[in-house]
Amino acid sequence: PPRWWMGETEMRPNEEYDNQIRTISTLMADAKAYAAGTPAKVNQKLEAMRGLYDGSKQLFIHTSTARSMMESVQKVKSFGVQKVVLAGARDAHLIIDFLKEHDIPVVLANVHRMADRNQDAYNLPYEQPSVLHKAGVTVTLMYDNYSNSRNLPFFAGTAAGNGLSKEEALQLITLNAAKVLGIDAQCGSLEAGKDATLVISEGDILDMSGNHIEHAFIQGRHVTTEGKQQYLYNKWKTKYGQD
């Protein structure tokens, strides 16, 4: 992506792209050969990749440009990888037909960002979940770093204000996320027989002004919503005689 702090406004080429592709291709070939045989010595890296070739595991590819997404999917498919998910995927709206043809789910990163190119609409990142969802692509959302995790509901809220209903936007971070992870039979929606994994908010969970989590449950177990700072405050507040 452009280095905005240096005044760049256009995408720049990755000078190591071809070398990186060769390295990945070598790894995929080694993993395929390893999975097809009975090696005398266990290779933990290749062992972890065994499930990619029998469909028991999914490969998450973190890349953003249209070219890199298409080439990476075609490359890993040529080695027999069955299930692929694209994460990041900033150009996903440019390759919708390709995504549908190969049944590729998309995990969009950081809806709260500026458009990548001068010719893009200013609100393209906000509308992208709606564009993909309405085209029939399975979409979920992610945050690009740990500190941004608290904003995940508001990413969905922004999508709700730009083409999606609130129910559809909520689905982006609940049922769709479960589908992408392959656990939608256990969680992701409130249905009989599924795990009781849910949160209860005092107001609109997708709205910063209404989001106030009162209760959270994981597989029916009530878990605390108290953060680290709250815990430390309550632990040490009496040290100086505070109530």
Side-chain angles (χ1 to χ4, degrees), residues 65-131:
T65 67
R67 174 192 171 189
S68 63
M69 286 189 287
M70 295 176 70
E71 287 189 355
S72 61
V73 169
Q74 291 168 337
K75 178 65 70 174
V76 299
K77 290 278 188 179
S78 71
F79 285 107
V81 175
Q82 298 186 30
K83 297 180 180 179
V84 180
V85 179
L86 288 171
R90 292 191 174 199
D91 281 352
H93 60 286
L94 300 177
I95 58 169
I96 288 176
D97 290 341
F98 177 85
L99 297 173
K100 294 174 66 175
E101 176 187 352
H102 293 276
D103 192 24
I104 306 294
V106 168
V107 187
L108 295 177
N110 193 15
V111 172
H112 292 171
R113 60 180 173 83
M114 297 179 65
D116 296 312
R117 301 176 179 86
N118 287 339
Q119 65 268 30
D120 289 339
Y122 76 93
N123 60 343
L124 174 62
Y126 312 151
E127 292 186 333
Q128 194 177 32
S130 173
V131 171

Side-chain angles (χ1 to χ4, degrees), residues 107-198:
V107 187
L108 295 177
N110 193 15
V111 172
H112 292 171
R113 60 180 173 83
M114 297 179 65
D116 296 312
R117 301 176 179 86
N118 287 339
Q119 65 268 30
D120 289 339
Y122 76 93
N123 60 343
L124 174 62
Y126 312 151
E127 292 186 333
Q128 194 177 32
S130 173
V131 171
L132 293 170
H133 174 78
K134 291 179 178 179
V137 177
T138 300
V139 184
T140 185
L141 307 178
M142 67 181 239
Y143 43 88
D144 52 3
N145 57 63
Y146 177 77
S147 63
N148 226 358
S149 61
R150 63 184 180 274
N151 288 321
L152 186 60
F154 312 133
F155 290 172
T158 297
N162 289 271
L164 292 180
S165 68
K166 286 189 176 182
E167 289 75 16
E168 290 171 328
L170 182 61
Q171 182 177 322
L172 296 179
I173 56 174
T174 53
L175 183 57
N176 282 15
K179 287 179 179 179
V180 169
L181 293 173
I183 57 173
D184 52 302
Q186 292 80 41
C187 60
S189 59
L190 298 177
E191 298 180 56
K194 288 191 175 183
D195 294 343
T197 299
L198 60 125

